[in-house]
C-alpha cells in the first residue's frame, strides 16, 4: 500500500515525448473504463503531499514524487486544481498472474478464481479435524453487480467462551493479494494440523480469519482472474480511508461508509478483538498506530516489541525481508505518512483491539510462483504474533456478593492507558490485555460497583491471570492515584482526626483473600478515643485492601497504611486490654495507663510491643506530582523539558544511552562512556535540546510543572512545546500572531507555514517535543504555552 519505489514508474519519462503522450492517452482510456487512476505526481513542496492526500489516496512518497490512486471524481478534482498526474500501469496489470486450473490438489502456488476461493472457504468446516471448529461466516453480500460476499472462518476448539478473540484479515486494497493466499493457507493449517503449537493456539484462542475483505476490487476483471485487480472497492472508494476516525470524526474521506466498512466496524464493535493484523502489499514493513497523528499509542513499547519480533522471526528465513522501507522493518503509521480513516486506527480507537498493519510484499500482486516464498517468510511470524494474544494480563471479574461474572467492566492500566487503550470485560467477565513486560496497577470500574485496583507484574512472553471481585456500591473506599506519606506526630493526635465517627475498624485476616471486618462503638476524644476500663475490649478491624502481597489499610474510606506482606495478615484484639488506639508513622499503637503499646507487623502477623517498630508506612491521598514521560528514539531527538529540572537529572536519566546534548546557543554536554562534560550547565523548560542517543530510551521525570514564556527572535528559533496536551499549531500558539511566511518545522522534517493568515491545521505540537520556528517579524515576540 505504501511504497517508496519509483524506478520502474519513471521509465515513462525516459522514452520519447510522442510515444509518451500516446501511452498516456491509452492509459487514460483504460483507467476511465476501470474507474481507478494510478499515477505519479511531482511535488516541489512537502505541504503539497498533504494536500494531495486530502484529495486522493497517496500510496507512497519520497518527498519529491507522490505515487497515488484516485477515482474519477478525485482525479477530476486534481486536474481542476492544476495538478499534472503522470499515469502509470496499474500494479495488477504488470503482474505475471497464474490462476489455478482447479485440477488435482491446490499447492498454494497460483491465484484463485472467486468461485475457487468461495469453495475453499466453504470446505474448511468439513476439512477440520476432530476437536476443531472451523465455521464459515459472512459479514454480508455486496450490493454491487457481482454480489460477492465478505467471508471469514472462525476457528476454535468448540469451547471459545472466556478466551481472547484474535482477528487476521487481508486485501482491503483489492490489488494487494499476497496476504489473501497467506490467510487461506493459515486457515488450512489451523483446521488440520496436529502440531502442538497449532493445537495450543486453537485451544487458547477464538480465531477469526478473513482472507479477502475487498472482493470487488480483487475481482475487478471478473470472477475468473485477479488480473486487473484494483485498489478501491466496487464503488471506487479506498476502504482504508473510509473508517470513522478518532481524530477527524465521521467520514474523514467525505464519503458515506461503504458496506465493507459498516460491516467491519460492526464486527469490531461486537467482538472486541484482543489483537488483530491486517495484511496489505506494496511494501514490506510492520506499521502500528496511529496513522492519523504523531502521538504515541499508550502501548507503543508493546507495538515495537511484537512488530520487531515479527520481523526478526521472518528474517530467520529471509534475512533481508521487510527492509525495503525501514532497516528495522517497523514504523509508526504517521511517522511513515499521515492518513485518516484507516482501519487500524478505528480498531484501536473504538474496537479495544491492538491492531497492526502488515505490509507483506513489495510487489502488490507478485508472480504466483513467489507465493510459497512469502508463506515461508511469514509463517512462523504469523504464529508468534497470534501467540502474543495469550500473553499479558488476563482474568475474570466477578460480583463479590454473588460470584457471578460481570461484563462491561472497564479495565484501565493506571498511569499508562489513554482514552482509547482501555478494554472492557467480555461475556463471562473475562478480560485480555496484552502489554509490555513491567509492573502495573490495574483498575476495574463499573457503575454500581466499588472500583478495585490490583498490582501486577508481568514479563514479556508471559501471562498473569487475575481473579477480581467487585463489591456492589455502598461504602466504597476512595482510591488514591498518588500517595503522601504521613509524617509521625509526637502525640499521634493527628491520626485520630480520621475518627470522624465512633467506629474504628482493625484488621482480622485469615488469608489474603478472606477479609473479616468487625467493629465496635468507641468514644472519640480530643486525643483519640477511649473505651471504658471495665467495658469489653473491642474486637475491631481495619480492612486491608489489595493483592499480590501489597495491602492498603483503610479506615472510613481513607487509606491509612500501605504495607507489603508475604501472605498472611492476622490481628485480633479480643484478648487485649488496652484503652486507646493511635495510628502514626511508627505503627498502629495502643495506649493505656500512659504506656504505649505498638502494633507492628512481624513474621506474617501483627504483634503488640511496648517499643516502636517502624515497619509500617502510612500514606494518605496526595496530589500527583507532575510527570514527563520521555521516549527517545535512536539518533537525534528534538526534545524539551516540561518540568523544572536540572541538567544532572537529565544526564542521570539518559544514563549511557545518549552521547550528546546540544542547545541552540552551541552549549553542549558530551558523554564519554564514563561521565558527562561540556559547556552546558542548565536545562531550561521551553528551550529545545537536540539529544543524540545510541539506543532508544524511555524514562519518567517528575518535578514542578512550568509555564514557559518563549521569545521568538527574527530568524530561526529552537523552542520546545510545554503545553499540557497535543494541539494543532493554531490552537497551540493561542493569541500569538505570526507573521506571513513564518514556519514551524518538526524533528521529522514536516513543516507548517503561516500563509494567507492561517496555519495548516494538520501540524500537531506535542508536549515535550522540540521544534524550529522561523520568524519573519522584524522584532522579537513572546509566547506563553499553557
Ligand atoms: Zn494497502
Amino acid at each position: 500500500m505504501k511504497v517508496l519505489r519509483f524506478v520502474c514508474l519513471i521509465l515513462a519519462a525516459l522514452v520519447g515525448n510522442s510515444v509518451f503522450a500516446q501511452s498516456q492517452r491509452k492509459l487514460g482510456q483504460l483507467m476511465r473504463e476501470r474507474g481507478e487512476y494510478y499515477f505519479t505526481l511531482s511535488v516541489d513542496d512537502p505541504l503539497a503531499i498533504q494536500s494531495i492526500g486530502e484529495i486522493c489516496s497517496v500510496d507512497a512518497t519520497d518527498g519529491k514524487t507522490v505515487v497515488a490512486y484516485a477515482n474519477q471524481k478525485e482525479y477530476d478534482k486534481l486536474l481542476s486544481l492544476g495538478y499534472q498526474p503522470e499515469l502509470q500501469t496499474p500494479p495488477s496489470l504488470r503482474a505475471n498472474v497464474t490462476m489455478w486450473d482447479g485440477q488435482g490438489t491446490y499447492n498454494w502456488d497460483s491465484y484463485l478464481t472467486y468461485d475457487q476461493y468461495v469453495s475453499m472457504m466453504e470446505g474448511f468446516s468439513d476439512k477440520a479435524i476432530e476437536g476443531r471448529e472451523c465455521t464459515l461466516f459472512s459479514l454480508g453480500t455486496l450490493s454491487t453487480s457481482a454480489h460477492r460476499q465478505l467471508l471469514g472462518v472462525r476457528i476454535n476448539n468448540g469451547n471459545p467462551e472466556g478466551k481472547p478473540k484474535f482477528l487476521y484479515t487481508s486485501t482491503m486494497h483489492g490489488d494487494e493479494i499476497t496476504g489473501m493466499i497467506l490467510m487461506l493457507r493459515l486457515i488450512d493449517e489451523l483446521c488440520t494440523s496436529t502440531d502442538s503449537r497449532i493445537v495450543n493456539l486453537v485451544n487458547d484462542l477464538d480465531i477469526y480469519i478473513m482472507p479477502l475483505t475487498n472482493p470487488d476490487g480483487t475481482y475487478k476483471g471478473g470472477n475468473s482472474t485477479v488480473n486487473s485487480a484494483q485498489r478501491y472497492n466496487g464503488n471506487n472508494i479506498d476502504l482504508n480511508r473510509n473508517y470513522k476516525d478518532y481524530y477527524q470524526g465521521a467520514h474523514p474521506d467525505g464519503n458515506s461508509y461503504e458496506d465493507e466498512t459498516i460491516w467491519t466496524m460492526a464486527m469490531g464493535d461486537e467482538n472486541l478483538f484482543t489483537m488483530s493484523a491486517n495484511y496489505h502489499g506494496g511494501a514490506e514493513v510492520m506499521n502500528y498506530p496511529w496513522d492519523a497523528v504523531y502521538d504515541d499509542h499508550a502501548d507503543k513499547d508493546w507495538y515495537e516489541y511484537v512488530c520487531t519480533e515479527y520481523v526478526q522471526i521472518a528474517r530467520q528465513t529471509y534475512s533481508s525481508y521487510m527492509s525495503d522501507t525501514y532497516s528495522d522493518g517497523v514504523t509508526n503509521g504517521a511517522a511513515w505518512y499521515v492518513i485518516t480513516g484507516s482501519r487500524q486506527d478505528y480498531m484501536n480507537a473504538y474496537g479495544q483491539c491492538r491492531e497492526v498493519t502488515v505490509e507483506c510484499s513489495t510487489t502488490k500482486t507478485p508472480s504466483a510462483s513467489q507465493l510459497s516464498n512469502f508463506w515461508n517468510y511469514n509463517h512462523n511470524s504469523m504464529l508468534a504474533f497470534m501467540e502474543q494474544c495469550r500473553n499479558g494480563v488476563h482474568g475474570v471479574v466477578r460480583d463479590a456478593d454473588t460470584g457471578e461474572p460481570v461484563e462491561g467492566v472497564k479495565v484501565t492500566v493506571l498511569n499508562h492507558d489513554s482514552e482509547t487503550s482501555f478494554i472492557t470485560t467480555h461475556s463471562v467477565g473475562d478480560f485480555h490485555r496484552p502489554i509490555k513486560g513491567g509492573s502495573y496497577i490495574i483498575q476495574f470500574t463499573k457503575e454500581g460497583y466499588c472500583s478495585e485496583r490490583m498490582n501486577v507484574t508481568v514479563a514479556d512472553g508471559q501471562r498473569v491471570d487475575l481473579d477480581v471481585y467487585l463489591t456492589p456500591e455502598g461504602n466504597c473506599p476512595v482510591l488514591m492515584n498518588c500517595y503522601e506519606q504521613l509524617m509521625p506526630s509526637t502525640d499521634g493526635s493527628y491520626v485520630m482526626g480520621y475518627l470522624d465517627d465512633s467506629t474504628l475498624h482493625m484488621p482480622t485476616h485469615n488469608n489474603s483473600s478472606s477479609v473479616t471486618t468487625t467493629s465496635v462503638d468507641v468514644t472519640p476524644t480530643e486525643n483519640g478515643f477511649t473505651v471504658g476500663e471495665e467495658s469489653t475490649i473491642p474486637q475491631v478491624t481495619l480492612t486491608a485492601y489489595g493483592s499480590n502481597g501489597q495491602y492498603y489499610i483503610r479506615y472510613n474510606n481513607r487509606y491509612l497504611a500501605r504495607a507489603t506482606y508475604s501472605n498472611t495478615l492476622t490481628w485480633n484484639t479480643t484478648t487485649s486490654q488496652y484503652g486507646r488506639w493511635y495510628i502514626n508513622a511508627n505503627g498502629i499503637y495502643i495506649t493505656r495507663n500512659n504506656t504505649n503499646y505498638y502494633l507492628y507487623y512481624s513474621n506474617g502477623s501483627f504483634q503488640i510491643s511496648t517499643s516502636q517498630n517502624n515497619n509500617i508506612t502510612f500514606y494518605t491521598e496526595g496530589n500527583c506530582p507532575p510527570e514527563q514521560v520521555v521516549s527517545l528514539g535512536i539518533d537525534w531527538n528534538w526534545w524539551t523539558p516540561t518540568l523544572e529540572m536540572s541538567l544532572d537529572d537529565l544526564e542521570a536519566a539518559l544514563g549511557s544511552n545518549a552521547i550528546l546534548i546540544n542547545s541552540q546557543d552551541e552549549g553542549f554536554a558530551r558523554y564519554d562512556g564514563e561521565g558527562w562534560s561540556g559547556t552546558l550547565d542548565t536545562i531550561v523548560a521551553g528551550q529545545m535540546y537536540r539529544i543524540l542517543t545510541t539506543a532508544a530510551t524511555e524514562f519518567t521525570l517528575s518535578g514542578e510543572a512550568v509555564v514557559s514564556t518563549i521569545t521568538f527572535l527574527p530568524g530561526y528559533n529552537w523552542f520546545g512545546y510545554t503545553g499540557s496536551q497535543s494541539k494543532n499549531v493554531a490552537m497551540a500558539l493561542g493569541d500569538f500572531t505570526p507573521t506571513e511566511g513564518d514556519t514551524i518545522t518538526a524533528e521529522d522534517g514536516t513543516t507548517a507555514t503561516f500563509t494567507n493568515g492561517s496555519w495548516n491545521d494538520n501540524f500537531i505540537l506535542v508536549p515535550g517535543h522540540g521544534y524550529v520556528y522561523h520568524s519573519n517579524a522584524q522584532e522579537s515576540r513572546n509566547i506563553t504555552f499553557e
Side-chain angles (χ1 to χ4, degrees), residues 98 144 218 229 235 261 278 343 381 388 424 508 511 554 674 752:
T98 306
T144 41
T218 299
N235 295 327
T261 310
N278 188 19
R343 200 191 86 173
S381 296
Q388 287 292 356
T424 57
T508 53
N511 57 55
R554 72 183 190 225
E674 290 177 5

Side-chain angles (χ1 to χ4, degrees), residues 20 78 109 183 219 328 363 395-396 398 426 474 524 530 554 641 655 761:
F20 173 64
L78 279 174
D109 55 0
M183 293 298 112
Y219 293 102
D328 66 354
T363 305
V396 176
R398 294 189 176 85
H426 295 190
T530 59
R554 72 183 190 225
D761 270 346

Side-chain angles (χ1 to χ4, degrees), residues 21-37:
Q22 192 181 356
S23 79
Q24 286 289 296
R25 269 194 302 278
K26 274 189 179 172
L27 283 170
Q29 191 177 354
L30 169 76
M31 290 179 186
R32 207 161 20 255
E33 285 162 14
R34 282 165 59 82
E36 177 174 284
Y37 290 80

Side-chain angles (χ1 to χ4, degrees), residues 350-525:
Y350 296 108
Q352 299 184 12
C353 176
R354 263 133 270 268
E355 173 166 305
V356 301
T357 301
V358 183
E359 302 280 351
C360 72
S361 63
T362 303
T363 305
K364 295 192 180 200
T365 311
S367 153
S369 63
Q370 290 288 312
L371 290 171
S372 278
N373 289 340
F374 283 104
W375 168 257
N376 292 333
Y377 308 155
N378 285 279
H379 176 215
N380 283 328
S381 296
M382 289 193 291
L383 299 183
F385 188 73
M386 296 173 84
E387 283 161 350
Q388 287 292 356
C389 195
R390 305 185 300 198
N391 298 332
V393 183
H394 302 246
V396 176
V397 180
R398 294 189 176 85
D399 182 304
D401 287 351
T402 66
E404 291 295 316
V406 187
E407 190 178 355
V409 177
K410 186 174 179 182
V411 182
T412 312
V413 183
L414 294 184
N415 307 317
H416 176 96
D417 271 334
S418 67
E419 277 305 303
T420 51
S421 63
F422 68 88
I423 56 169
T424 57
T425 56
H426 295 190
S427 60
V428 291
D430 57 310
F431 66 93
H432 312 279
R433 180 63 165 86
I435 195 164
K436 185 83 174 73
S439 292
Y440 302 98
I441 304 169
I442 302 187
Q443 177 164 293
F444 303 87
T445 51
K446 177 163 183 169
E447 210 179 316
Y449 288 94
C450 299
S451 294
E452 193 65 71
R453 284 184 188 164
M454 295 181 91
N455 291 57
V456 62
T457 297
V458 62
D460 287 342
Q462 290 188 340
R463 98 181 248 157
V464 171
D465 281 278
L466 301 177
D467 284 318
V468 184
Y469 289 88
L470 289 189
T471 307
E473 210 161 49
N475 197 15
C476 293
V478 179
L479 297 175
M480 292 183 290
N481 276 317
C482 301
Y483 311 95
E484 274 173 22
Q485 190 172 339
L486 293 179
M487 297 309 291
S489 159
T490 49
D491 62 359
S493 57
Y494 75 89
V495 174
M496 305 319 275
Y498 291 120
L499 293 174
D500 53 5
D501 60 30
S502 59
T503 305
L504 178 68
H505 301 269
M506 290 296 290
T508 53
H509 286 248
N510 296 321
N511 57 55
S512 60
S513 64
S514 160
V515 180
T516 308
T517 305
T518 55
S519 60
V520 67
D521 289 340
V522 295
T523 307
T525 70

